[in-house]
Amino acid sequence: MASAVLWRRGAAWLRSCRGNRREPPGVPRGRGCAGSRDVVPTCERYAVRRLPFARLEERDVAAFERLMPGRVVSAEEEVKPFNVDWLKSVRGCSQLVLKPQTTAEVSQVLRYCYERNLAVNPQGGNTGLVGGSVPVFDEIILSTALMNQVISFDKVSGILVCQAGCVLERLNEYLEEQGFIMPLDLGAKGSCHIGGNVATNAGGLRLLRYGSLRGTVLGLEVVLADGSALDCLMSLRKDNTGYDLKQLFIGSEGTLGVITAVSILCPQKPKAVNVAFLGCPSFAKVLETFTTCRAMLGEILSAYEFMDEKCMELVERHLKLSSPVADSPFYVLIETSGSNSTHDEEKLNNFLEQAMASGMVLWSLRERITEALTHEGYVYKYDISLPVAKLYNLVTDMRARLGQSAKNVVGYGHLGDGNLHLNITAESYSHSLLDAIEPFVYEWTARCSGSISAEHGLGFKKKQFIQYSKPREAVVLMQQFKAMLDPKGILNPYKTLPSAPERSTC
Amino acid sequence: MASAVLWRRGAAWLRSCRGNRREPPGVPRGRGCAGSRDVVPTCERYAVRRLPFARLEERDVAAFERLMPGRVVSAEEEVKPFNVDWLKSVRGCSQLVLKPQTTAEVSQVLRYCYERNLAVNPQGGNTGLVGGSVPVFDEIILSTALMNQVISFDKVSGILVCQAGCVLERLNEYLEEQGFIMPLDLGAKGSCHIGGNVATNAGGLRLLRYGSLRGTVLGLEVVLADGSALDCLMSLRKDNTGYDLKQLFIGSEGTLGVITAVSILCPQKPKAVNVAFLGCPSFAKVLETFTTCRAMLGEILSAYEFMDEKCMELVERHLKLSSPVADSPFYVLIETSGSNSTHDEEKLNNFLEQAMASGMVLWSLRERITEALTHEGYVYKYDISLPVAKLYNLVTDMRARLGQSAKNVVGYGHLGDGNLHLNITAESYSHSLLDAIEPFVYEWTARCSGSISAEHGLGFKKKQFIQYSKPREAVVLMQQFKAMLDPKGILNPYKTLPSAPERSTC
């Protein structure tokens, strides 16, 4: 099997590879992501109007100081990093960061803000990609940074209960010592908080194997807008007593309540991890291989990623990596995670033998596409869910549509999850190119019943596009839930939902 | 390995064993389940007051006949089976069954009923165990029996879209022909509808392996109380655009909307299925074995069930089955499902060798405990979720509490899911024995943060006990959701939620 490339290593190696898997910054309209200049305030760049919340006064700061002495941040320089997102694409003008340590303190803060009609921006690790984690105007930032305690871990059931501000990577390290892992993994794991992960229903790298947070999160503790605490922090795999309220808070991006604690089911740490790369002559073959792969690898398949030849060209050009085999139109990365290394290697070898027999060629490297893309100038990034059979058609159609006006139109992503990363590069930002891409990309996605945000959420930047993925009745119902749970609208305003019932956009 | 009992067979054998796995009937207060006499109407047996809904008139029947000619059932004998639950424990007095074929027809029916203030009881296969699937008074029965079409199945993604009235077993057969299975399996699969499964968030036999419906259901189409259709029928693994509304309908037992279509992620059909039975000297050993088992069997473990010696005694006495090994205080059933029979058998053998070395004894038969129990007279049945470490303490405590007043107090269940089936038998029904059991069993469960209904839901019979598993704030919020989505309360009234904010009961 001369052209086969197959790695078999421990989970530790894999983790180190994943350290730089984080998607590179998306690009806000009008400026590059790498700019070191001060970020233009959101309220200046975007046509957004401040809602009539109260304005922060000295007496408010004093009241918070009494509530949590020494954990009230108001010095401008100290507040600054909490106002700007990780992409440096949006910037709020908050004057105050609060760092509660307990649920009771979060309750007290929200009760106070609710009575005073002060808007609040809940913030975890501030690693969101759609502008959901920083203020738009002067919302008070409620940081979970000091709510970082593990409450309990049960080795028999694998159930972890912890505060919302625990950093994902710290939790995973804690669990690994006991033979378990977190059911999710992200490039941002070194700084993202589990509460933020749950609030944004983070997808990430383990979804194909362990499923979404909607299945693994067993319970939540949430503080509502008026300060009342809602205890749904069950640690049970099965509980059919009434409506599952916690689900409403998963993925609601801090607009319905502040998550203060999480109960989550953690899988055993896999004993064997293998990775392989393959070349495929067509996207149809990528799909066919996925089907074969699932049948032969079954329960140990933990990732099935794909990329096109354009991605490979960029990786070769900018990162000086060379292909060990002849060029192919498409490439696939396969990862397995199992409990028995001999069994897993045998399964993967059997699969590869069959894959080779049917004309596919092994090859390498998916990891650094995003890095290579940033060398190409300006990058327009889209994160789309589509039925897998149609997944690549969007890239082909976009390429045909844009012709010479784009430098590159490339596609890659988590095929196993039906998640495409569509990237378009040009020498520099151009409003006319953007107009050629949008709303075409959203309309195309809507026609295929896809999702315009697979895993990043809507936040501030995409909320006006929700109607491309959700019918009007659903949006109206969401607005009713928001109005019921947060009648004054103080929680993470200007995010997730259009502020008034939208006229149809698609 | 003389005392080892290990089966290795195809899935077909396993299915045939599972045909009689259905829990035997629970016993309503005051009468045995096996009675062939007419069931006492619910409104006579229970202290329940009819709400001021309109009463059915001739003109209503005529209107429905115009909507769906020939699919309106009003003859008393034909309506009768729709009024009585599978356990023959509750009985409604409905005069009308409607059998729509399309979502549009469901919309028209509900719009009509909403305007007329007529109460509606949505009904799938009528296999519920808590009185949620039949009317309490004269609610119109809206049956999904004729909504039984598969809409689509995508072999690449494994996503099935179908109408709500599809019978679970038919769906599984349809999928098996294409190398897939449904992610859930129940004893009632021959008659239960997938819409009813989703509406009750059914657990069943595959939960340990494939997770709950909250992760596998990808989309729902729902008709709300006022007749408006809500299309959340996405077929995407990832979609973070706004609140996940479908979750609210999963497990809401038909009280928030009528599910008309389901999109669900289906796993590959396992190629190898193995079953083994073990004896354990203590419940602590059952737990220790579970930990070892998960580590060694990992991804192929699909069931971990336990039973105590009392269960075995009953099986031996009533079913003339004999134990192939010496008696043990506890027994464990382990099932594996994987993609490679050689690998799976090897894993199981490795595990069994280690299990034997640490002093456990293999043994057989969990399947027929429930059948044996019905030979003992009157059975009080409870379906409880608990932290696994405390799971058996409830049985021990109950046994000590009841002493000679109970004939048997036995425990068994899905330990892998933290789900205990507690069964208490006596010669005949006794109100004083019931008073000794309840509310003690609920109070005990609440003290351990357990759930008083692991998988059966609350329905009509358990709704007054919800506060043992949910805090008052959560119940109030559920009532607000109900009021928002169904302001007239016409959908499955008298079910799931207490009708007014409850005074604290625990």
Side-chain angles (χ1 to χ4, degrees), chain A residues 3 26 109 166 229 254 260 339 342 346 362 389 415 459 489 496:
Chain A
S3 54
V109 166
C166 290
T260 52
S339 62
T342 311
E346 197 176 308
L362 266 161
L415 189 121
T496 308

Side-chain angles (χ1 to χ4, degrees), chain A residues 220-279:
Chain A
L220 291 180
E221 182 186 59
V222 179
V223 177
L224 302 181
D226 65 1
S228 60
L230 184 66
D231 178 6
C232 299
L233 199 59
M234 307 295 275
S235 293
L236 303 167
R237 283 205 67 162
K238 289 159 82 171
D239 173 33
N240 275 352
T241 54
Y243 311 150
D244 191 2
L245 298 177
K246 71 172 183 289
Q247 294 290 345
L248 206 58
F249 300 97
I250 300 175
S252 67
E253 307 187 74
T255 61
L256 296 180
V258 177
I259 294 169
T260 52
V262 174
S263 166
I264 190 164
L265 185 65
C266 301
Q268 297 265 339
K269 181 179 173 181
K271 291 180 183 144
V273 176
N274 296 277
V275 182
F277 292 89
L278 296 86

Side-chain angles (χ1 to χ4, degrees), chain B residues 58-317:
Chain B
E58 274 306 318
R59 61 179 173 122
D60 300 318
V61 180
F64 293 128
E65 263 296 344
R66 283 193 297 276
L67 279 181
M68 48 180 87
R71 289 179 281 120
V72 176
V73 181
S74 57
E76 196 180 336
E77 275 308 300
E78 288 179 65
V79 172
K80 198 173 173 184
F82 293 87
N83 266 319
V84 181
D85 72 330
W86 184 85
L87 295 175
K88 300 200 187 308
S89 66
V90 284
R91 182 176 152 204
C93 307
S94 180
Q95 299 165 284
L96 199 69
V97 177
L98 302 177
K99 295 183 175 176
Q101 287 178 319
T102 65
T103 301
E105 287 179 349
V106 174
S107 274
Q108 289 167 328
V109 166
L110 288 187
R111 191 171 301 121
Y112 183 93
C113 291
Y114 191 75
E115 281 167 13
R116 277 276 290 126
N117 197 31
L118 288 161
V120 176
N121 182 105
Q123 188 177 93
N126 193 13
T127 62
L129 299 173
V130 288
S133 60
V134 294
V136 174
F137 291 95
D138 57 343
E139 300 91 275
I140 293 169
I141 295 166
L142 185 64
S143 167
T144 52
L146 299 183
M147 302 184 71
N148 55 5
Q149 301 298 304
V150 169
I151 297 166
S152 66
F153 178 65
D154 177 9
K155 282 191 76 162
V156 175
S157 63
I159 297 170
L160 172 77
V161 183
C162 66
Q163 283 190 298
C166 290
V167 171
L168 180 59
E169 192 168 39
R170 296 291 89 69
L171 289 176
N172 204 63
E173 286 163 359
Y174 169 85
L175 290 171
E176 286 207 0
E177 286 169 15
Q178 306 184 62
F180 288 78
I181 58 171
M182 290 294 283
L184 78 161
D185 187 18
L186 308 176
K189 67 183 164 210
S191 43
C192 66
H193 295 186
I194 186 65
N197 296 148
V198 174
T200 57
N201 189 28
L205 305 167
R206 292 176 181 165
L207 191 130
L208 184 65
R209 174 66 186 277
Y210 301 114
S212 87
L213 290 173
R214 299 202 173 275
T216 52
V217 170
L218 301 179
L220 291 180
E221 183 186 57
V222 179
V223 177
L224 302 181
D226 65 1
S228 60
L230 184 67
D231 179 5
C232 300
L233 199 58
M234 307 295 274
S235 294
L236 304 167
R237 284 204 67 161
K238 288 158 82 171
D239 174 32
N240 275 352
T241 54
Y243 311 149
D244 191 1
L245 298 176
K246 71 171 185 290
Q247 295 290 345
L248 206 57
F249 300 97
I250 300 175
S252 67
E253 307 186 75
T255 61
L256 296 180
V258 177
I259 294 170
T260 53
V262 174
S263 167
I264 189 164
L265 185 65
C266 302
Q268 298 264 341
K269 182 179 171 179
K271 291 181 183 142
V273 176
N274 297 277
V275 181
F277 291 90
L278 297 84
C280 290
S282 66
F283 188 71
K285 203 76 190 174
V286 172
L287 295 178
E288 186 191 316
T289 307
F290 180 47
T291 303
T292 312
C293 186
R294 285 204 311 183
M296 296 190 70
L297 298 176
E299 61 280 356
I300 64 167
L301 179 64
S302 57
Y304 189 91
E305 305 275 316
F306 90 101
M307 66 205 82
D308 61 16
E309 63 184 336
K310 289 280 179 193
C311 293
M312 272 304 155
E313 281 172 32
L314 298 178
V315 170
E316 293 184 295
R317 186 183 315 151

